[in-house]
Every structure is written in structure tokens, then in C-alpha cells.
Amino acid sequence: MGNQKPSIPKGTRDFGPEEMAKRNYIFNTIKEVYALYGFQQIETPAMETLKTLMGKYGEEGDKLLFKVLNSGDYLSKVSDEELAERNCLRLASCLCEKGLRYDLTVPFARYVVMHRDELQLPFKRYQIQPVWRADRPQKGRYREFYQCDADVVGSDSLLNEVELMQIIDTVFQRLGIRVQIKINNRKILTGIAEVIGEADKIVDITVAIDKLDKIGLDNVNEELRNNGLSEEAIEKLQPIISLSGTNDEKLNVIADVLQSSEVGVKGVEETRFILDCLKTCDLKNEMQLDLTLARGLNYYTGAIFEVKALDTPMGSITGGGRYDNLTGIFGMPGLSGVGISFGADRIYDVLNTLDLYPKEAVTTTELLFINFGECETAYCLPLVTKARQAGIRTEMYPDKAKMKKQMSYANAKGIAFVALVGENEMAAGKLTLKNMKTGEQKLVSIDELIREVK
């Protein structure tokens, strides 16, 4: 055992200092923008009761919940017969009352129901915490990962959608990532299915339309035929499949096709309102109406959004939409809400690929005082304090080691300046400041040093 290296569970990661600096830069940017729009942060426990979690994510989701053994004698409630039967699910329900949260939405719904009396509606909350899924780990998929959600509940106004699009635009502008923000509406999709009389085929339709660029119109129609759509339905879909032009032109075509569907007309109106408002909001990134967008169809009831980075191939890096029934799962009449979730891990990869981290976000120490011995250290300590009081990230090398070792420490940490104090400097009441990039050295007072480094 002695020489065996420790390890961490499959599907989890350590984040070293450099990764943490980069992750904090992303989270801090997002937090600042959320705060700018009046969103407030909450946190919920890593563990929820299984009563809260079970049955909220479908049968598949239930299997992917990490369960936590009861403390103490967790076998006390289990009979010998049950043990002998070895029925995993039944046993788990006897041995475990808690589980790790699987997403931030269900805990948020629980939070709203538990605290409804003290909440000011509309409630604008954001939450940045890890979630756990007993999924099969693979590239880019982890068993522990962070979600970064913002939601507004208790308001049906579409101004909330408008505001979330502005938040997305601002965050990516600050991060320096060029994106395209795609928008669609669940009601438009429902309307399309209604008009062509194929209510249950909407997913097949969006999947097929999505391939238009790759396989061309004839093949899309062929695929729709193979999915059991009638010729008449396919005929009606033609203007929708080959939609092009500006968002307004697309909306006019859709409105025309959907005039007989009440829900479809409503979807067009909602989308038009959101896009018209955004025209006056000085967005820096492009909004695109995209009918192939069909995320989480059973979940969303109104607008749906997704964000793609333009300068590097990567799946969706942010998504969200409007839902009607957040709190219904806990027996409270459905509160409508709209939310977005930033994909922090993917954004991290995009910023890495495009090398967009600002230097100050990832630099650590700016100034290192070299240790030449006791009496030099005594002279340096008040100067170290002054440098820190001036806001300079400063270290004093703790040991009287060889100069070469101390310098290579500075290089390894990417420290920009080194302060050297020997007998001459002490006699003159000064310090020697070395710029590690240029190698240039000069004799300075502590005030000059502070000005120089800043």
C-alpha cells in the first residue's frame, strides 16, 4: 500500500491553480453581469432528500442519481428477506434517504416552494454550483460538473426573455467570444405540427430540417417520407424547410403558414416581440431565428434559446427557455419562469482554444522579495507590507536558499518583478528592482518600486 499513488473517482477532476484562476475569471464575469441585471445568488445543499429528487428526471434520470448511505446502522430498517432478495432499487430506498443533486432546477423549485412566503416575485436568482450524475464518463462528460443557471420565476412578461438575451450578449462580449444567439419558440413548433396534422412527429421534423445544409432539400424530404409523413404534410412544410432571409422575413413566412393555428400564431407574436425589443438594445452579437432548435421539448413551453461560438467548433455553450410549471412537481400551482444556463466547461475550452484569457486574470504573484538572510529579511518585512497595502501581490521567499533557486522559483511562477536587498541597499535605504522580462535592474525607493510595478 505504502507506494501506491492515490487516485480520484472516475469522471471527476482536480483543478490546479491556473485552471482555478481561469474558471474564476469566467464565473466572476458571469456573476458581475447577473448582478448588473438585479439577479441575486442562492446556494442549495449538495444533498437533497431522495423524495425531492426521485421521479423528477424520468426513469433514466433516477438511475443516474448518486445516493448517500444513511449514517449509523443503515441496515437497521432492512429485513433478512429483503437482503436475501438482493433487489438493488428496493434496498437503496431502505438504505438511503438522501442523494447528490442532479441539476440546479429541481433544488431551485424546492427552494421556491419552501420559501414562497418570504420571496419577492418576480424572483430573479442565479446559482453556480456542482451537480453529480452517475453517468458513464467520456470525453467532455463528467460525473461532477458545474452548472451556472439564472432564472426569473413568477412573471409571464416577455421582457424577461429580452433581458436574458442581453445578459448572454453582455457576458460573451466581456469574455471576447463572438457568438450567434439562436432563438425559437415551442409554440411555433407545436403550430407547425398542428397545421400539417402530424402532432407527434415534431421531433422527427426538426431533426430532418436540421440536416438541410448537410444533405440538401430532396434528401430532407426523403427522410420525412421515411418517418411516415404524408405527401400533403411534406408539401405544406416546404416553405418552412427552406426558410431564409432576415428574422422578420422568416417570421412573415411562418405567420402565413401558421394562420390557422391559434398556438402557432401566439408563438410568432411572442418571437416577434422579443426580436423587436432587442433591435433597440444595442446587441453586439447576432440574434438568429432558427426553427431547428428544439431543446428539451417536453420541458419548455415558450421561447427557446441556444448559443454557438463562431470562431471555434463547439456544441452549444449556453441554452435555456421558458417553462410553465416549475413548482407543480411539488404540488404548488405552476409558476411560470424563464431561465438560461451557461456551459462553463465548454466556455473554458473556447477561451483556451482562442487564447482569450486576459493576463491579469491568470497572473499570480507580481513581486518577489529575495531572502538574503535574517537581517536583510528584517529590513524587507515592512517593505513587503507596504507593497501589499498598495495592492501589489507580493511574496517574500521564506528560506535563505541559493540565489539561483529563488530566481527559478520566480520564473516558474511567472513573477514579473524581483526585489533584491543586500548591505548596499540597506545602507542607502533603497532596494534593487529587477524586471524579470527585460533583465533590467535599478536602485529605487519603496514608493518608486510601487509606482514601477503598478
Side-chain angles (χ1 to χ4, degrees):
M1 186 65 212
N3 55 8
Q4 206 182 349
K5 270 175 103 171
S7 62
I8 57 175
K10 273 211 305 266
T12 64
R13 299 168 280 181
D14 286 323
F15 298 116
E18 190 185 341
E19 289 157 306
M20 278 315 296
K22 290 177 170 181
R23 290 173 71 82
N24 284 335
Y25 165 67
I26 296 171
F27 290 138
N28 292 341
T29 304
I30 294 171
K31 284 177 179 178
E32 278 165 21
V33 177
Y34 281 158
L36 206 53
Y37 285 79
F39 282 70
Q40 295 174 293
Q41 185 172 19
I42 68 164
E43 287 199 343
T44 61
M47 290 182 288
E48 293 276 351
T49 67
L50 285 177
K51 273 198 193 74
T52 296
L53 298 172
M54 296 293 279
K56 308 299 192 296
Y57 305 107
E59 212 173 307
E60 270 311 288
D62 282 352
K63 287 189 190 133
L64 299 181
L65 290 173
F66 276 112
K67 298 177 184 70
V68 177
L69 276 177
N70 294 339
S71 36
D73 178 5
Y74 51 81
L75 286 176
S76 58
K77 292 182 186 154
V78 189
S79 68
D80 290 347
E81 292 83 60
E82 284 173 312
L83 272 178
E85 247 173 62
R86 301 175 71 100
N87 177 332
C88 287
L89 287 171
R90 174 92 70 39
L91 279 174
S93 64
C94 305
L95 305 175
C96 308
E97 285 153 20
K98 301 176 287 293
L100 296 180
R101 63 164 170 256
Y102 179 87
D103 71 357
L104 300 178
T105 306
V106 167
F108 175 47
R110 189 236 351 117
Y111 179 91
V112 170
V113 173
M114 274 182 70
H115 298 275
R116 59 184 148 190
D117 296 336
E118 68 238 46
L119 288 183
Q120 186 61 53
L121 292 179
F123 180 44
K124 300 163 84 167
R125 88 84 166 84
Y126 74 89
Q127 193 170 351
I128 301 175
Q129 287 184 279
V131 300
W132 293 270
R133 298 185 180 180
D135 231 342
R136 205 171 261 153
Q138 41 184 287
K139 186 178 168 14
R141 181 178 290 173
Y142 299 97
R143 289 178 160 183
E144 176 183 67
F145 56 96
Y146 273 74
Q147 285 188 340
C148 183
D149 290 13
D151 290 83
V152 187
V153 292
S155 163
D156 291 331
S157 164
L158 294 168
L159 288 174
N160 298 309
E161 275 84 334
V162 171
E163 199 167 85
L164 288 171
M165 296 307 92
Q166 291 177 273
I167 286 176
I168 289 173
D169 182 68
T170 310
V171 165
F172 287 114
Q173 196 188 318
R174 289 191 179 189
L175 293 173
I177 300 174
R178 293 194 321 127
V179 296
Q180 188 179 54
I181 306 170
K182 295 172 179 287
I183 182 170
N184 194 7
N185 195 302
R186 173 74 172 100
K187 296 184 176 80
I188 291 179
L189 294 174
T190 306
I192 293 171
E194 240 176 50
V195 165
I196 64 170
E198 301 276 4
D200 53 340
K201 290 277 200 291
I202 187 64
V203 173
D204 293 336
I205 294 169
T206 54
V207 167
I209 299 178
D210 199 19
K211 295 181 183 165
L212 182 64
D213 292 345
K214 294 189 195 79
I215 63 177
L217 184 59
D218 295 343
N219 290 326
V220 168
N221 288 335
E222 190 51 41
E223 187 161 321
L224 292 170
R225 260 178 224 113
N226 295 339
N227 286 330
L229 264 75
S230 67
E231 289 305 321
E232 187 191 359
I234 293 174
E235 191 50 46
K236 282 189 179 156
L237 272 177
Q238 292 312 294
I240 297 275
I241 295 177
S242 43
L243 264 192
S244 63
T246 65
N247 291 334
D248 288 332
E249 287 164 350
K250 288 180 188 171
L251 274 174
N252 293 337
V253 173
I254 298 167
D256 194 40
V257 175
L258 294 184
Q259 52 196 347
S260 65
S261 159
E262 197 184 327
V263 66
V265 169
K266 184 105 177 60
V268 171
E269 283 168 6
E270 289 181 4
T271 309
R272 186 165 273 148
F273 177 86
I274 295 167
L275 289 171
D276 283 350
C277 285
L278 288 169
K279 285 177 190 165
T280 66
C281 294
D282 189 28
L283 292 194
K284 300 292 183 269
N285 292 287
E286 180 207 355
M287 291 289 310
Q288 192 197 42
L289 174 61
D290 180 355
L291 282 196
T292 64
L293 200 57
R295 33 181 312 130
L297 267 188
N298 41 7
Y299 183 71
Y300 295 118
T301 51
I304 331 177
F305 334 107
E306 204 158 90
V307 179
K308 286 213 164 353
L310 292 175
D311 299 318
T312 172
M314 171 71 67
S316 151
I317 54 177
T318 297
R322 159 81 59 178
Y323 44 84
D324 267 348
N325 192 2
L326 177 75
T327 51
I329 47 175
F330 294 110
M332 179 180 167
L335 267 188
S336 175
V338 58
I340 54 174
S341 184
F342 283 97
D345 288 306
R346 284 179 169 182
I347 293 170
Y348 178 92
D349 290 340
V350 170
L351 289 172
N352 260 350
T353 309
L354 302 175
D355 194 22
L356 287 174
Y357 290 100
K359 219 168 152 31
E360 50 285 5
V362 289
T363 48
T364 50
T365 308
E366 299 162 287
L367 173 65
L368 173 72
F369 277 77
I370 297 291
N371 187 332
F372 282 114
E374 272 175 42
C375 114
E376 290 87 345
T377 303
Y379 175 89
C380 288
L381 276 176
L383 304 179
V384 173
T385 303
K386 269 199 171 138
R388 286 183 184 140
Q389 282 166 345
I392 295 171
R393 296 191 288 266
T394 307
E395 285 183 60
M396 170 99 210
Y397 197 84
D399 307 295
K400 185 189 163 186
K402 288 203 170 72
M403 176 81 158
K404 189 177 168 203
K405 186 175 179 186
Q406 298 191 44
M407 284 307 209
S408 64
Y409 175 83
N411 279 324
K413 279 190 84 170
I415 300 175
F417 292 96
V418 165
L420 305 144
V421 173
E423 285 169 15
N424 302 345
E425 284 85 358
M426 284 167 35
K430 301 244 171 152
L431 323 83
T432 295
L433 181 66
K434 180 181 169 102
N435 180 324
M436 293 295 281
K437 250 216 182 82
T438 62
E440 173 193 9
Q441 309 201 67
K442 47 176 129 166
L443 198 64
V444 293
S445 69
I446 184 66
D447 294 340
E448 290 168 334
L449 174 139
I450 288 166
R451 272 201 300 280
E452 188 85 16
V453 174
K454 298 217 54 116

